[in-house]
Amino acid sequence: MEQQKHRIKVQGTGVQFACGENEFILEAMQRAGCGPIYHGCFGGGCGICKMRIVSGPYFIEKKMSRAHVTEREQEGGIVLVCCVKPRGNLTIARV
Amino acid sequence: MGFKGTLRPGLVQLRVLDLGKTLDFYKNVLGLNEVCRTGDGRVCLKGYDEFDHHSLTLRLADEAGLDYVAFKVGCPDELERMKQDVEAFGYPVDTVEAESDQPGFGKRYGFTISTGHRFEIYSEVKLAEQGPMIKNPDIWTTPPRGMRAQRMDHFLLYGPNIAEAERFCREVFGMFVPEVCNTPDGNRLAAWITGSNKPHDLAFVEYPKPGKIHHLGFYLQDWSDVGNAADLIAINHLKLDIGPTRHAITRGLSIYFWEPSGNRIEIYAGGYTAYPDNPQRVWDSDQLGRGLFYYSGEVIPSFLEIVT
């Protein structure tokens, strides 16, 4: 069965792309060729894909380096998008 | 013994975010052998062609990156002399007792250099149970796996005041500096440093944040093994940074990619033979693209900017 697709909007940029239920947000951004960030380690270690989830449900599947996302930041929706999968339509923003 | 100070970088302890997935990479993709586990859950590994007990320890942590690097010196007398030289250079030294946190290792002395990295020195370490053959030796005892990494080779460290770090490596470790890169105003941007015939045992890049690692390098036999490694990066969906390519600096054949916890790995083959009496090779910073990636001549932003 084809996985469910969610719509991800990047706030303030007009950019949007589709991301599968089982796809990391950074993978979908890269596949869609729509930045607006560098592609880094894809392992939660380098911190280059740090963004904020403005609204919508999501799931943090991989551990994110505490050097880049503090517990307090994580509570406020700050994530490394290489570690996060959508659970519905999302709006995200650069930090 | 031909070497004046350190023999080689012999041990690295890395932090990883996911021990299971990351260990699977080091064992089954890179091709290291698991030697043992410590009481606190760290995992000790070595390349199939390394004699000493282990060369890499993985520690599960909340951040990726480097705990410390350790250099082997020739004998206990040299270790004590070097400890005094470290103190005379101005770095306070602490002692890690033998057989404490690194199985098989003798006493280590530790200190922090100008770039914020913890360095250690040691002279005694047990030989591994499964090391290379020495009597009428075959090239290996069991077929190498995956990328067939023979041994840990070098690391590139990012931090402030690399001029002092370079001077430390020369004056205390007895190393020399085959190759450097300078900014237009004559300041050091990068230095490749060795205590052996390898073109680098370690390298530094000037960077404002202390204690960062750019990559840990492992040695492969030749260009065909670099190609094999590229296939394995693709097959295993590892994240490539750049390569396969050739460095003009060190002349190495290379690929950079990230392991599953986000530490950058280089697999490296070839490289020139370095001698301490050879003239130093000097790069201008505006030629660094060609120095790093000889074929394309261009630096990619991720390579310069991403460290753990």
Side-chain angles (χ1 to χ4, degrees):
Chain A
M1 199 175 83
E2 196 166 315
Q3 62 176 319
Q4 192 183 348
K5 294 276 187 186
H6 302 295
R7 192 175 67 254
I8 317 288
K9 286 185 187 172
V10 184
Q11 192 175 53
T13 64
V15 167
Q16 55 176 298
F17 56 92
C19 183
E21 179 95 1
N22 289 317
E23 192 170 31
F24 291 107
I25 293 173
L26 187 60
E27 287 180 279
M29 288 180 92
Q30 187 184 37
R31 185 169 41 73
C34 59
I37 51 165
Y38 300 126
H39 316 126
C41 74
F42 271 77
C46 80
I48 207 78
C49 65
K50 186 172 179 174
M51 296 189 80
R52 184 165 59 89
I53 309 285
V54 178
S55 64
Y58 59 97
F59 174 65
I60 301 171
E61 183 165 301
K62 286 193 286 192
K63 194 164 154 184
M64 305 182 292
S65 171
R66 283 279 174 247
H68 302 294
V69 182
T70 65
E71 282 182 50
R72 194 186 175 124
E73 282 180 321
Q74 189 175 327
E75 286 166 14
I78 300 288
V79 297
L80 304 180
V81 291
C82 72
C83 300
V84 174
K85 293 178 175 176
R87 288 292 174 265
N89 294 336
L90 296 179
T91 299
I92 64 177
R94 300 184 74 163
V95 292
Chain B
M1 194 167 291
F3 296 166
K4 281 196 298 185
T6 55
L7 301 179
R8 60 179 167 276
L11 176 66
V12 170
Q13 182 163 300
L14 272 188
R15 298 186 296 266
V16 299
L17 297 171
D18 182 328
L19 187 59
K21 276 170 74 172
T22 311
L23 179 61
D24 180 66
F25 158 76
Y26 281 101
K27 286 167 67 174
N28 298 316
V29 182
L30 188 58
L32 303 185
N33 294 328
E34 182 176 334
V35 175
C36 62
R37 298 198 180 205
T38 63
D40 60 358
R42 288 169 298 133
V43 185
C44 304
L45 299 143
K46 68 180 279 293
Y48 77 88
D49 213 24
E50 290 179 301
F51 285 97
D52 286 348
H53 193 270
H54 63 277
S55 58
L56 176 66
T57 302
L58 302 180
R59 179 172 76 85
L60 182 65
D62 286 336
E63 301 177 10
L66 180 69
D67 277 343
Y68 54 84
V69 295
F71 296 82
K72 191 179 188 185
V73 303
C75 64
D77 286 349
E78 174 67 18
L79 181 66
E80 296 305 319
R81 186 198 63 75
M82 193 175 282
K83 177 204 178 222
Q84 291 175 6
D85 289 349
V86 174
E87 288 170 332
F89 193 88
Y91 298 152
V93 175
D94 62 74
T95 304
V96 185
E97 295 302 330
E99 291 286 350
S100 52
D101 66 328
Q102 293 288 352
F105 278 71
K107 177 175 63 179
R108 312 192 315 271
Y109 291 125
F111 46 92
T112 303
I113 67 164
S114 60
T115 52
H117 298 93
R118 178 177 171 85
F119 276 17
E120 293 181 351
I121 50 176
Y122 64 96
S123 60
E124 302 295 296
V125 56
K126 285 181 184 164
L127 288 174
E129 285 178 18
Q130 289 187 316
M133 292 171 66
I134 54 171
K135 178 70 171 172
N136 303 318
D138 279 314
I139 57 170
W140 36 254
T141 46
T142 55
R145 287 185 308 283
M147 296 181 178
R148 305 191 279 263
Q150 295 183 332
R151 56 172 170 77
M152 196 260 286
D153 188 74
H154 68 270
F155 30 77
L156 169 55
L157 305 177
Y158 271 42
N161 196 2
I162 66 165
E164 180 177 312
E166 180 184 326
R167 187 167 65 84
F168 173 84
C169 289
R170 281 193 284 106
E171 294 180 4
V172 178
F173 279 180
M175 294 176 164
F176 60 105
V177 187
E179 209 149 2
V180 296
C181 178
N182 295 327
T183 60
D185 51 9
N187 291 317
R188 203 59 106 224
L189 177 63
W192 291 262
I193 303 171
T194 188
S196 68
N197 273 149
K198 289 153 59 186
H200 57 341
D201 282 341
L202 75 166
F204 292 107
V205 165
E206 186 71 28
Y207 191 68
K209 290 182 190 163
K212 297 295 180 186
I213 184 167
H214 181 275
H215 69 266
L216 176 60
F218 291 87
Y219 199 77
L220 305 191
Q221 181 170 267
D222 53 28
W223 191 227
S224 69
D225 271 3
V226 174
N228 173 61
D231 290 340
L232 287 166
I233 288 167
I235 290 164
N236 290 286
H237 297 270
L238 292 166
K239 187 66 191 152
L240 180 75
D241 193 9
I242 191 166
T245 185
R246 147 88 83 179
H247 298 306
I249 297 167
T250 78
R251 306 258 180 87
L253 311 167
S254 166
I255 308 175
Y256 293 92
F257 60 99
W258 285 279
E259 44 92 306
S261 289
N263 295 301
R264 191 192 277 99
I265 298 294
E266 180 183 18
I267 51 92
Y268 180 93
Y272 55 66
T273 305
Y275 288 99
D277 60 316
N278 289 160
Q280 188 176 61
R281 295 164 167 93
V282 180
W283 289 85
D284 298 325
S285 56
D286 65 358
Q287 297 295 310
L288 191 58
R290 193 168 159 80
L292 290 172
F293 308 120
Y294 193 45
Y295 300 150
S296 68
E298 289 178 14
V299 182
I300 56 173
S302 62
F303 186 82
L304 287 186
E305 294 164 19
I306 295 177
V307 293
T308 52

